[in-house]
Amino acid sequence: MFLKAKKSKIPIEPFFAEQLRQKPGMKVREPQIELALEIEDAIIRGKKFIGEAEVGTGKSFAYLIPVINEIIRTEKPGLISTGTIVLQDQLVKRDIPALSKYLNEFGYLDQDIVVYLGKGKEQYMCPQNLDKEIANAIEKELDFTEFIPLDAGLKLGKYDRSDFPDVGIDTWKKVCVMGCSGKCKERGCAYKLYKNQRSLKSYHILVCNHHYLLSCLKDPAFSISSFGTVIIDEAHNLESIAQSIYGISGNEQSFQSKLKQLIAMARSRGMYRKADANSILKYNKSFFRKIKEAALTRDEFEVEQRYKVDIDAKIQEMAQELFRKADRLCDQASIALEFSKSKSEQDKIDRIYDGIYRMLSKIIEYKDNNIFWVDVSRKNGAIQINAVPKNIDEILFRKLFSVNVPVILTSATMSTETSTEGFDYFASGIGIDLIPLPHYKDPVSKKSPYDFSKQAGIYIEQELQYVRKGEAGQALYMQKKADKIFDIIQVTNGKALVLFTSYTAMDTTYSLIAEKISQQMGIKCYKQGMGSRDRLLEEFSRDINACLFATGSFWEGIDVKGPALSCVIIDKLPFPVMDPVLEHKVEKMNISEQDIIRLDMIIKLKQGAGRLIRDETDTGVLAIMDSRASRRYSGLIMDNLPSFKVLKNINEIAPFIGGFKQVV
Ligand code: SF4
């Protein structure tokens, strides 16, 4: 879409240094201007470029101006992909509208920049599905209260997943868009409007997340070269998200439920014998039992761990037989449906068939090009088999980096100060290192403008000895550690984000101290899972002294400025557990196991620590409750974290916090 501009180009330096600086609340920094110039240089020369920007650099404006210049020059839209919804919202609701306004005021543009938010279809509610679910519940005299807020929301024009934070995922799955052909007569359907807008390309910038971008790249009809520039922000997530998009998984329960749905359809017209139904369900169980046996290396599986499974001839044979049975069942269900001529039911059969086929075919046609592993669902203990291509780097290279479009990767955490220099580890994981040198601009890293030594302190617990094994020892260790965390929270008077490396550690610590914190200090403790992520963060930010216990995705993408987040406590150094995917990386990159787990740990630790200082008036303390951080890994950690003031013991935290008044 053509962008009406009054000038052919926005000059980077004068715009940032003289014009943008005048705007209230705008903080222009030297590293931001430098980064913008580097990005513009890469775009003009059509190169792929890694530009790391630490917290506070202002990276979104640094790439938006070069992107807009390229839209003016080429008349092609720009694409910005992010790792988190927080950043997507920031771009769509705040940064791009503000920049658009300024560019019009300063006489560069003659219209507002039109942004299009690309989301997966499952983020939209399908009004038809909702109607069907309610009608079905009424007909069968079932409880339909779960659908009431959705129905009420729809009447108010709400249709987006984020409009319904309190609706559970299982309810949402029943009503979201699944296989919409767009041909139904439903008027005012938001998803239909969205699809039309996308096909008209009536926008200047497409903002999406990495899931959306990578799914589009799988679609032969999608052309990345129709964009003038591609920005991958929060690029440190790209590799793991590509693994989930190009990988596949299936578990016993979901297969069982899919088969039962098919059986119900087939038997509704007497098309399938009860004995056959029992036989396929039993066979499915045997198949997953066999997978479990093949992966079992110890007495029992631990939740949150991946176990390698070697696909042997017997597993392949069983997958073949299960598929043959499922295929016949799908046929029977389809024949049964011919009587009812229900298009949506036929779509459902196709989707079930596709899900079963995609997983089983990977096993049946097994070649040594996938990594297979088994894990255990935290939710229901189900055994799940997963497969991911070994060549994710080559796939990304082929689909994204070998195309003749400038691609800029940015994030605060892509490099590591370790034996594997700078960006090498990150670059080889995503395949950008496969680009011939003339098409690749040397990476840069822009430092944060914050004065970390004055704004934040780091305390590393030195007395607690890490205990790896033994139930009694572990329990004592957890108790002692929880007591220390309690002491720190007492000193900071709450305001703490406590990050864990596992749900088990989070749940245990919460059960040991949350009540005590609330009774003795009157401070509320939230825990991940008590509500949606957005709702939890909103309450944590609003309730100034509250504490939040969290793990997983909470290590990144949290942007709580001000006193509500004055302390980040890290329960344990976030070393990954060696798994089949990491083992493959060790082999492929020819580095040691030790190096790879150190690299992964450092990247995650930087992300966790990065939650603390979010602007130049922010102050706080980072506490690492793992004595290994003061010994074996001390140098590595200090080289990679910002230069926080070192606090030798808990007693030094209070005076340090007292000194914050001078900083603020
Ligand atoms: S157009 Fe598609 S998403 Fe919209 S109501 Fe119809 S089937 Fe559902």
Side-chain angles (χ1 to χ4, degrees):
M1 185 186 178
F2 179 63
L3 177 60
K4 285 186 210 152
K6 289 184 179 162
K7 295 186 182 157
S8 60
K9 188 176 184 313
I10 306 151
I12 302 255
E13 278 181 285
F15 174 72
F16 277 98
E18 292 157 27
Q19 296 176 308
L20 193 59
R21 207 187 283 276
Q22 301 167 14
K23 289 290 164 192
M26 285 308 306
K27 288 160 192 154
V28 173
R29 288 145 186 150
E30 219 31 60
Q32 183 181 40
I33 301 175
E34 289 164 14
L35 184 65
L37 288 167
E38 298 271 14
I39 291 174
E40 180 155 79
D41 177 61
I43 292 175
I44 289 170
R45 295 199 283 147
K47 296 203 174 195
K48 317 295 186 257
F49 171 61
I50 297 174
E52 186 174 63
E54 286 185 0
V55 60
T57 314
K59 67 176 158 40
S60 54
F61 274 44
Y63 59 67
L64 279 169
I65 294 295
V67 166
I68 294 165
N69 274 338
E70 196 62 1
I71 299 169
I72 297 171
R73 193 179 76 82
T74 62
E75 295 184 14
K76 285 183 173 184
L79 185 153
I80 302 172
S81 178
T82 72
T84 59
I85 292 176
V86 181
L87 181 56
Q88 242 178 40
D89 279 353
Q90 182 194 310
L91 285 165
V92 173
K93 295 180 185 160
R94 199 186 76 189
D95 292 353
I96 300 177
L99 197 53
S100 176
K101 187 169 159 255
Y102 300 154
L103 291 172
N104 276 279
E105 281 174 18
F106 288 124
Y108 293 109
L109 297 184
D110 205 12
Q111 73 166 116
D112 284 337
I113 296 168
V114 180
V115 187
Y116 171 70
L117 183 59
K119 286 191 278 195
K121 59 182 184 302
E122 58 295 328
Q123 295 298 314
Y124 289 83
M125 179 164 31
C126 165
Q128 264 207 356
N129 285 350
L130 178 66
D131 284 350
K132 261 189 250 161
E133 288 294 334
I134 294 175
N136 183 43
I138 292 171
E139 189 192 320
K140 294 182 179 154
E141 296 184 4
L142 301 170
D143 179 14
F144 61 89
T145 44
E146 60 180 323
F147 302 116
I148 291 174
L150 293 164
D151 194 41
L154 197 63
K155 288 187 178 112
L156 296 171
K158 294 179 179 173
Y159 52 82
D160 194 290
R161 179 67 181 110
S162 62
D163 291 329
F164 302 98
D166 296 327
V167 170
I169 185 71
D170 293 335
T171 304
W172 182 258
K173 274 185 180 168
K174 292 178 195 163
V175 300
C176 70
V177 180
M178 283 174 278
C180 169
S181 63
K183 287 184 187 142
C184 91
K185 302 258 182 300
E186 186 78 36
R187 269 193 270 151
C189 166
Y191 180 64
K192 204 148 98 176
L193 291 175
Y194 155 84
K195 271 182 72 167
N196 289 341
Q197 193 192 5
R198 183 175 66 175
S199 57
L200 291 173
K201 290 242 164 58
S202 50
Y203 54 86
H204 301 117
I205 299 178
L206 166 64
V207 175
C208 62
N209 62 26
H210 300 340
H211 279 96
Y212 181 91
L213 170 65
L214 293 166
S215 302
C216 286
L217 290 174
K218 279 173 98 176
D219 179 355
F222 178 83
S223 167
I224 192 83
S225 54
S226 59
F227 294 91
T229 323
V230 175
I231 305 285
I232 314 275
D233 200 342
E234 299 179 320
H236 59 274
N237 283 322
L238 191 65
E239 184 186 356
S240 62
I241 295 175
Q243 283 171 354
S244 73
I245 294 288
Y246 287 94
I248 186 162
S249 57
N251 70 54
E252 183 187 330
Q253 261 87 338
S254 76
F255 268 41
Q256 201 79 348
S257 135
K258 284 177 176 135
L259 294 172
K260 280 182 182 167
Q261 289 176 50
L262 292 172
I263 290 167
M265 287 186 222
R267 283 184 58 76
S268 67
R269 294 277 168 173
M271 300 297 300
Y272 202 64
R273 287 199 183 88
K274 197 164 180 211
D276 290 336
N278 289 338
S279 159
I280 191 169
L281 294 175
K282 210 168 143 200
Y283 201 85
N284 181 49
K285 284 191 173 174
S286 310
F287 172 69
F288 277 95
R289 200 176 315 119
K290 178 72 194 158
I291 298 268
K292 187 177 175 183
E293 282 164 14
L296 197 62
T297 50
R298 56 182 88 179
D299 290 344
E300 57 182 41
F301 287 106
E302 280 176 39
V303 172
E304 300 170 20
Q305 284 198 25
R306 294 168 166 184
Y307 298 88
K308 188 174 179 186
V309 55
D310 291 319
I311 303 297
D312 60 17
K314 181 67 189 165
I315 293 178
Q316 282 182 288
E317 193 188 299
M318 290 185 79
Q320 178 84 58
E321 179 59 15
L322 181 58
F323 177 64
R324 198 188 59 72
K325 285 174 184 283
D327 190 31
R328 183 174 157 258
L329 174 55
C330 282
D331 282 348
Q332 301 287 307
S334 294
I335 294 168
L337 283 181
E338 275 174 19
F339 294 102
S340 69
K341 299 202 177 348
S342 164
K343 167 91 176 69
S344 64
E345 293 288 283
Q346 185 55 54
D347 286 348
K348 193 170 172 184
I349 296 176
D350 292 345
R351 274 199 307 278
I352 293 176
Y353 176 87
D354 193 48
I356 293 176
Y357 173 74
R358 287 199 319 128
M359 182 73 245
L360 292 180
S361 64
K362 283 252 189 264
I363 298 176
I364 296 165
E365 297 155 12
Y366 171 71
K367 291 187 206 89
D368 194 26
N369 54 2
N370 280 290
I371 306 162
F372 283 89
W373 76 90
V374 161
D375 55 23
V376 183
S377 157
R378 199 184 129 68
K379 212 166 137 196
N380 57 13
I383 293 287
Q384 174 156 288
I385 180 156
N386 311 270
V388 68
K390 284 183 174 174
N391 61 340
I392 283 290
D393 53 345
E394 288 161 24
I395 293 173
L396 286 174
F397 169 71
R398 215 174 45 244
K399 304 248 175 202
L400 188 60
F401 301 125
S402 65
V403 181
N404 190 18
V405 176
V407 179
I408 312 299
L409 295 119
T410 184
S411 160
T413 47
M414 294 182 287
S415 69
T416 43
E417 298 290 328
T418 63
S419 52
T420 304
E421 279 304 316
F423 295 93
D424 291 358
Y425 180 60
F426 166 73
S428 67
I430 57 166
I432 199 170
D433 60 335
L434 298 170
I435 298 171
L437 276 183
H439 303 294
Y440 183 51
K441 179 177 161 71
D442 282 345
V444 297
S445 184
K446 297 293 168 194
K447 295 288 167 211
S448 171
Y450 302 155
D451 189 349
F452 289 113
S453 63
K454 290 211 176 87
Q455 290 179 249
I458 179 169
Y459 164 74
I460 298 177
E461 171 53 44
Q462 301 190 26
E463 288 165 17
L464 273 174
Q465 290 300 317
Y466 177 65
V467 178
R468 198 186 290 268
K469 290 204 176 91
E471 235 172 69
Q474 263 290 331
L476 187 63
Y477 169 70
M478 291 301 289
Q479 179 66 60
K480 282 187 178 169
K481 184 151 58 171
D483 290 343
K484 296 259 182 189
I485 292 175
F486 177 87
D487 291 346
I488 293 171
I489 288 175
Q490 204 163 30
V491 174
T492 60
N493 196 26
K495 310 175 188 71
L497 170 67
V498 194
L499 291 171
F500 296 87
T501 54
S502 72
Y503 284 91
T504 313
M506 176 182 77
D507 291 341
T508 309
T509 310
Y510 185 86
S511 68
L512 288 169
I513 54 171
E515 208 179 312
K516 202 163 108 183
I517 292 171
S518 125
Q519 280 174 359
Q520 294 188 16
M521 301 179 218
I523 288 172
K524 192 158 183 186
C525 289
Y526 297 95
K527 187 177 73 154
Q528 186 175 348
M530 283 176 160
S532 71
R533 181 185 155 105
D534 287 355
R535 178 64 52 87
L536 269 181
L537 286 173
E538 202 186 309
E539 297 198 4
F540 173 64
S541 314
R542 205 177 329 119
D543 186 351
I544 295 286
N545 292 327
C547 295
L548 174 59
F549 290 58
T551 181
S553 66
F554 283 72
W555 280 75
E556 58 178 295
I558 294 181
D559 187 17
V560 178
K561 295 186 179 78
L565 204 168
S566 297
C567 179
V568 172
I569 301 176
I570 288 179
D571 151 75
K572 195 173 129 191
L573 290 178
F575 284 106
V577 177
M578 264 324 263
D579 66 26
V581 177
L582 283 179
E583 275 166 19
H584 171 68
K585 261 184 139 177
V586 165
E587 223 179 281
K588 191 163 178 171
M589 292 175 67
N590 199 20
I591 59 173
S592 72
E593 247 183 60
Q594 270 304 313
D595 275 345
I596 213 156
I597 62 170
R598 264 190 239 143
L599 287 161
D600 267 24
M601 183 276 283
I602 279 299
I603 289 172
K604 189 151 187 185
L605 184 66
K606 282 168 78 173
Q607 285 159 359
R611 302 309 100 216
L612 186 62
I613 302 299
R614 305 302 298 172
D615 72 19
E616 55 268 277
T617 60
D618 249 359
T619 52
V621 171
L622 170 72
I624 302 179
M625 310 308 292
D626 187 331
S627 59
R628 293 174 296 175
S630 67
R631 302 196 176 108
R632 193 165 161 201
Y633 301 106
S634 166
L636 179 72
I637 288 168
M638 290 308 179
D639 284 349
N640 280 280
L641 289 184
S643 49
F644 296 149
K645 180 175 167 49
V646 176
L647 307 171
K648 293 210 171 62
N649 57 57
I650 291 183
N651 298 336
E652 290 186 15
I653 296 179
F656 183 71
I657 291 175
F660 287 161
K661 292 182 194 81
Q662 294 143 28
V663 179
V664 181

